[in-house]
Amino acid sequence: MADQAATLLEVLPDLAGRSVLVVGCGDGRYPRLFRAEGARRVVGVDADQVLIAVAQREEERNPAGISYEVHQPARLPLMGTFDIVTAFLDSPGPLGRITASLAPGGLLVVVATNGLSLEEGLRDNGFQDIVLHRHESGDVHSARKAT
């Protein structure tokens, strides 16, 4: 996992002052990491209520200004507008829902688990500058939303 965090930080631009949505945030590890890296606003979303409860308890113990919500990726509502959206996906199905909260010109970074290939889905959703970064726990795709 630590290697995956390093890969994500390498792919992401400087987070200072940026807003970040983390879909599939689990227990809040990545939202806390991104906030520590200077993100101005961080929202974590996960389908697992138990993991979100863990994240919220940590937020209560050590407040970082992160909000957490329970949502299924396939039914993710518009979460506002974010400079960066990161997501952990095992299917391309929710890409449209996830990217709806990304600002024009914003950066999408997806950790694709189980060998999922996202290039075609990203192109179909209007993304450009698609880059694939190989990682043993899931390929990391980065792409810029067309302006």
Side-chain angles (χ1 to χ4, degrees), residues 119-147:
E119 287 86 355
E120 185 177 334
L122 290 168
R123 279 190 201 86
D124 290 349
N125 280 281
F127 282 84
Q128 47 194 261
D129 304 328
I130 301 167
V131 178
L132 173 63
H133 311 266
R134 295 271 179 206
H135 190 274
E136 70 234 14
S137 62
D139 292 341
V140 179
H141 296 77
S142 63
R144 186 108 6 228
K145 187 172 185 177
T147 53

Side-chain angles (χ1 to χ4, degrees), residues 29-43:
R29 176 174 188 252
Y30 288 109
R32 288 190 300 275
L33 174 65
F34 299 156
R35 188 75 167 106
E37 290 290 321
R40 167 183 50 82
R41 176 174 157 237
V42 180
V43 175

Side-chain angles (χ1 to χ4, degrees), residues 40-125:
R40 167 183 50 82
R41 176 174 157 237
V42 180
V43 175
V45 174
D46 201 284
D48 189 322
Q49 292 178 326
V50 173
L51 290 175
I52 289 294
V54 170
Q56 288 172 327
R57 279 194 300 276
E58 181 59 27
E59 179 64 22
E60 289 167 8
R61 274 193 295 275
N62 297 305
I66 301 167
S67 62
Y68 295 98
E69 297 185 26
V70 176
H71 294 289
Q72 296 289 332
R75 293 190 300 271
L76 186 69
L78 188 61
M79 300 297 296
T81 303
F82 293 84
D83 303 313
I84 299 168
V85 172
T86 62
F88 298 82
L89 297 178
D90 59 7
S91 159
L95 267 177
R97 289 277 193 176
I98 290 167
T99 60
S101 294
L102 188 60
L107 182 68
L108 173 68
V109 177
V110 178
V111 177
T113 58
N114 74 7
L116 177 65
S117 176
L118 292 175
E119 287 86 355
E120 185 177 334
L122 290 168
R123 279 190 201 86
D124 290 349
N125 280 281

